[in-house]
Amino acid sequence: MFQSAAIPQHLHTKEFSKRVPDLRAELLKIQHKLRDDKAFSTLILVGGLDGAGKGAAISRLFEWMDNRYLFCNAYQMKATEEERLRPYFWRYWRDLPARGETAIVFGSWYQAPMREAVKGELDDDAFERELAAINRFERMLAYENVLLLKFWFTLPKDEQKKRLEAVAASKQKTRHFLEEWTDLKHHKKALVAGEKVALHTSTGFAPWIVIPATDPHYRDLAVGETILAAMNKRHEQHHMEPVSAPAIVSGITKTSAVDAIDLTETISKSDYKKEVEHWQGRLAQLTDHKKFQKISLVSVFQGNDAAGKGGSIRRVTQALDPRNYKVYPIAAPTEEEKLHPYLWRFWRRLPRKGHIAIFDRSWYERVLVERVEGFCSEADWMRAYNEINSFEAELADFGIVICKFWLAISEEEQLQRFKAREETAYKNYKITEEDWRNRLKWDQYATAAGDMVDRTSTRYAPWTLVSSQDKKNARVKVLEQHCKALERAMFG
């Protein structure tokens, strides 16, 4: 993979000067096209050996391109306090460029696993698991209209030694972004780790591009022309939708887990009062416990329209310290959110350790509303199942407890509640024309909900299916499940 690094690559100054004006003009042209049509965003990862001129190459890009639409995000190995309290990928999700923009990344998601591998802190199996997670992340970016360009800058060992000695002697050495695990001492190990990374993560949707960096003119022109060619090629192509298998086997009636929910469950008023007080008290104790400061909680509420999600959420929040939770009502994405990958807005809302995020509707809208109403393609919602499972696995691995609830009512009960909302002044805001339209597609939503539960109920993030025909029953079940999930996480 890195054999070309040992071969001298040189470009005469005259040739460099001759080619740069056209390159600059074309880079600006494609940037402005993308700014106008917002077809995709571009993410440029810069990695490689210390002293290879990564910073100089990026400075050159800022000279050549319109920096109003070009950003640079540099991540140090030591996470900030804000980043440390959230899952590993959170800081990269937070900074993803919108469509029409380009971002350059120093210290990408490869930095931590590669450093640990070079320093012997990560065995081969663990390293490969990290790389598999990165592949899933990058595949999702590719499908979400992100052009991902990954550059690895490399040098022969003697050239690296000469450059690092010059850096050490320079009064401006503080300006250099040195990673320290790709220095001369770790030269061979860094190349081996880099090669392993390239073999595992150089994919059709995000290939690695090796840049021999001995000659700065060659290095910079190679980077610039590669970026231009990739952006032009991507712009000329219409987004190719992958072929997906049908979601349903036609002609066969299937009873899903959602269809099988027992809607006859009820609870008496006296038992309801006692149970709510008990579980709210327990929930308050658990979230006030010192062990809760080491984890966090994400609660997801989905269900039929008028199934009582809001009432169940209120019974949960009554037990919580208002300083430690936030409820997110999820509606249609904003214009800003539409310019980013689908999960971007949810990653940004994740709670830090010791805190709680409650989602009134969630990322599951892609496989429910967007699927049924045709707001996204079949390919988009079909791949969403795997993307959601990977997303939730990231949260669970970090120590986030995930509680997911599907609140179910019958079609007849929903009609009664809709009519009650229309007839009660202070409930009018809860009923819209869209609710009535959705009701006409009851069977389609039921099928979508069944598929959702089948495909996304996992060991680390199982669905809890709750009958909300009796709202009191649902509220008790929701409180109880929160407590049991937290007890398992905190005490085993």
Side-chain angles (χ1 to χ4, degrees):
M1 190 75 188
F2 298 122
Q3 282 183 296
S4 61
I7 302 172
Q9 306 285 347
H10 294 293
L11 186 71
H12 196 279
T13 301
K14 286 186 179 179
E15 179 68 12
F16 178 77
S17 299
K18 178 182 176 182
R19 290 165 68 168
V20 164
D22 286 345
L23 173 60
R24 293 182 66 170
E26 290 301 314
L27 282 170
L28 291 170
K29 182 178 176 182
I30 188 62
Q31 264 192 294
H32 294 153
K33 276 184 183 178
L34 292 174
R35 188 59 184 170
D36 291 339
D37 63 26
K38 296 178 173 55
F40 58 91
S41 60
T42 305
L43 201 56
I44 301 169
L45 268 63
V46 180
L49 299 176
D50 278 346
K54 301 185 290 289
I58 297 314
S59 294
R60 188 86 78 171
L61 285 178
F62 272 89
E63 178 187 335
W64 291 345
M65 300 176 75
D66 189 335
N67 56 26
R68 291 176 296 174
Y69 316 124
L70 180 66
F71 310 97
C72 185
N73 299 315
Y75 304 95
Q76 301 291 344
M77 280 301 304
K78 187 175 181 180
T80 65
E81 180 70 10
E82 183 184 28
E83 294 164 349
R84 187 179 62 79
L85 295 173
R86 291 180 171 87
Y88 177 67
F89 280 101
W90 178 81
R91 60 178 174 171
Y92 303 115
W93 274 97
R94 175 193 61 191
D95 297 334
L96 287 177
R99 292 207 302 272
E101 297 175 345
T102 300
I104 298 166
V105 180
F106 272 111
S108 72
W109 40 89
Y110 287 97
Q111 182 173 223
M114 288 184 74
R115 176 186 177 277
E116 290 167 9
V118 167
K119 294 204 167 187
E121 299 168 3
L122 205 63
D123 64 29
D124 285 347
D125 287 345
F127 192 27
E128 290 183 13
R129 285 195 299 273
E130 296 278 358
L131 298 181
I134 287 172
N135 270 339
R136 291 192 295 271
F137 174 57
E138 292 180 351
R139 184 183 299 111
M140 182 279 307
L141 293 181
Y143 279 125
E144 291 283 356
N145 291 314
V146 178
L147 171 62
L148 185 56
L149 301 173
K150 304 185 300 192
F151 293 99
W152 180 268
F153 288 61
T154 190
L155 287 169
K157 190 172 183 178
D158 57 346
E159 178 66 22
Q160 186 186 26
K161 180 180 179 181
K162 184 169 64 176
R163 292 194 183 186
L164 291 181
E165 286 173 350
V167 169
S170 172
K171 293 180 180 179
Q172 294 182 331
K173 60 188 175 191
T174 55
R175 293 181 56 195
H176 294 266
F177 188 88
L178 299 179
E179 294 172 315
E180 297 180 350
W181 54 274
T182 62
D183 59 12
L184 197 61
K185 176 184 175 183
H186 300 99
H187 180 97
K188 185 175 181 180
K189 288 183 178 179
L191 284 180
V192 170
E195 195 165 73
K196 188 163 191 175
V197 163
L199 290 171
H200 282 78
T201 64
S202 195
T203 59
F205 48 81
W208 277 99
I209 304 150
V210 177
I211 300 293
T214 304
D215 180 351
H217 284 164
Y218 177 90
R219 175 197 68 204
D220 295 351
L221 198 69
V223 170
E225 291 188 346
T226 300
I227 291 170
L228 174 63
M231 292 174 81
N232 276 327
K233 183 178 180 181
R234 177 69 182 80
H235 192 261
E236 290 165 5
Q237 293 175 336
H238 293 292
H239 188 59
M240 298 298 292
E241 297 289 0
V243 177
S244 57
I248 308 164
V249 180
S250 58
I252 299 176
T253 302
K254 175 187 174 185
T255 300
S256 71
V258 169
D259 296 327
I261 296 172
D262 181 5
L263 298 180
T264 64
E265 286 187 285
T266 60
I267 188 171
S268 67
K269 287 185 178 180
S270 59
D271 286 344
Y272 168 71
K273 184 177 180 181
K274 287 188 291 186
E275 290 290 303
V276 165
E277 287 179 355
H278 168 72
W279 291 114
Q280 283 183 335
R282 182 60 179 147
L283 183 57
Q285 290 175 344
L286 289 165
T287 53
D288 285 341
H289 198 282
K290 63 181 181 181
K291 286 191 174 183
F292 185 69
Q293 298 307 308
K294 297 180 180 180
I295 62 174
S296 49
L297 172 65
V298 166
S299 295
V300 172
F301 287 83
Q302 299 283 166
N304 301 120
D305 291 337
K309 294 182 290 295
S312 291
I313 290 171
R314 279 194 297 277
R315 271 54 183 193
V316 171
T317 58
Q318 284 169 358
L320 304 176
D321 184 334
R323 295 170 296 180
N324 295 336
Y325 76 84
K326 185 160 179 128
V327 178
Y328 295 102
I330 300 301
T334 64
E335 287 305 310
E336 181 191 19
E337 290 166 346
K338 288 177 181 177
L339 294 176
H340 289 85
Y342 177 72
L343 289 173
W344 178 76
R345 59 174 172 160
F346 303 110
W347 270 98
R348 295 171 73 234
R349 291 178 165 102
L350 292 180
R352 64 183 188 271
K353 287 185 177 180
H355 286 69
I356 300 162
I358 299 172
F359 291 89
D360 184 352
R361 301 189 187 276
S362 67
W363 41 93
Y364 285 100
E365 292 300 278
R366 169 138 291 190
V367 297
L368 293 170
V369 173
E370 293 191 23
R371 166 184 171 171
V372 174
E373 302 298 334
F375 294 154
C376 68
S377 68
E378 179 182 341
D380 284 337
W381 61 257
M382 279 293 291
R383 67 182 168 82
Y385 297 118
N386 186 55
E387 290 173 4
I388 287 169
N389 287 337
S390 297
F391 167 58
E392 292 178 348
E394 288 282 340
L395 307 192
D397 288 345
F398 184 70
I400 295 179
V401 178
I402 306 167
C403 290
K404 304 188 304 195
F405 301 96
W406 177 265
L407 273 58
I409 55 176
S410 67
E411 196 170 0
E412 296 74 25
E413 178 65 20
Q414 185 188 66
L415 180 59
Q416 291 181 25
R417 293 186 187 183
F418 276 14
K419 288 180 177 179
R421 287 180 174 184
E422 285 190 327
E423 295 165 3
T424 307
Y426 65 84
K427 291 185 177 181
N428 282 168
Y429 76 95
K430 292 184 176 182
I431 187 74
T432 66
E433 288 298 321
E434 185 178 345
D435 293 327
W436 286 107
R437 284 197 302 272
N438 290 347
R439 184 174 158 75
L440 298 176
K441 298 179 180 179
W442 179 276
D443 291 341
Q444 290 170 261
Y445 275 103
T447 298
D451 286 347
M452 174 193 74
V453 170
D454 283 348
R455 293 168 184 262
T456 62
S457 196
T458 58
R459 172 188 52 78
Y460 49 84
W463 279 99
T464 300
L465 308 180
V466 181
S467 169
S468 196
Q469 195 84 346
D470 177 355
K471 292 181 182 179
K472 300 187 297 298
N473 172 74
R475 293 164 185 172
V476 169
K477 295 288 186 185
V478 164
L479 283 165
E480 180 182 0
Q481 180 57 32
H482 273 98
C483 293
K484 289 183 176 179
L486 288 173
E487 286 170 347
R488 284 193 297 271
M490 292 163 63
F491 307 113

